[in-house]
Amino acid sequence: MRAHDVEPELLAEDAIPTGDPFVLFDDWFAEARDSEPNDANAMALATATPGGAPSVRMVLLKGHGADLGSGGGFVFYTNTLSRKGSEIAANPQAALLFHWKSLRRQIRIEGPLEPVSDDMANSYFASRARDSQLGAAASDQSAPMSDRREFIERFENVRRTYEGKDVPRPSHWSGYRLVPQAIEFWHDRPFRLHERRRFTRGSGGWASTLLYP
């Protein structure tokens, strides 16, 4: 492709503006909620063992913002005894990835993880559908099981145990807040002339730079 074949709008640098990355995330997330057919809040969570062996899985964003604790953050919930929970306990560094295919956009977020408060975990657990609460109480997430019937039987036992009563949050079920140290926004352009802007947190706040695609 010759240089003069590139449309002028492909060379523009204003698709990903400078400024506050939390504000930009809010804008993109709002658009994703309007355009994505399923789970605009789905994000890949990458963790690693102390030895550096990585693993990744999809989780759901359940809270975010600059005012969410010191340094702001992005919150998800899980069984803390699961594989991800064990890796986080040993190596509390993680990365998140949002991919909104309908918008042809990605956001990568990196930083340390911190547990949310018991009050925050209790509040979110109480807001979940009852069957989701029962499932969390019945599941030993990531542990081997002989067949699915084993889990369904445990689920039904938990259902009977708490019939007519509130389901308490299991002590091993809680949330984590990723405190972002870097946030990268990726915007698709034709001919793979993509636009990328990476924000990094310093002592004076956020700074950003464009990256080659």
Side-chain angles (χ1 to χ4, degrees), residues 61-179:
L61 177 71
K62 291 299 181 179
H64 72 281
D67 58 350
L68 196 63
S70 177
F74 299 83
V75 171
F76 63 93
Y77 293 87
T78 188
N79 184 320
T80 61
L81 301 180
S82 64
R83 177 177 175 179
K84 71 176 84 64
S86 297
E87 291 175 353
I88 290 167
N91 179 13
Q93 296 288 328
L96 304 173
L97 171 65
F98 293 86
H99 178 213
W100 296 310
K101 193 171 183 178
S102 63
L103 295 173
R104 306 186 71 83
R105 289 175 175 172
Q106 298 182 59
I107 300 178
R108 302 168 64 186
I109 307 170
E110 303 161 21
L113 289 165
E114 298 179 353
V116 303
S117 67
D118 285 344
D119 286 346
M120 192 170 175
N122 288 336
S123 178
Y124 176 69
F125 188 82
S127 74
R128 303 183 85 203
R130 185 174 180 83
D131 280 354
S132 295
Q133 295 175 339
L134 295 170
S139 176
D140 291 334
Q141 190 177 97
S142 300
M145 67 178 183
S146 57
D147 55 42
R148 184 162 175 79
R149 184 186 300 275
E150 177 184 339
F151 173 58
I152 299 304
E153 288 176 352
R154 291 182 62 167
F155 178 85
E156 292 300 333
N157 287 337
V158 172
R159 186 197 296 276
R160 287 190 291 270
T161 298
Y162 293 109
E163 187 172 0
K165 297 182 288 187
D166 290 338
V167 182
R169 176 178 67 88
S171 59
H172 57 267
W173 191 97
S174 190
Y176 298 94
R177 176 174 67 101
L178 187 145
V179 184

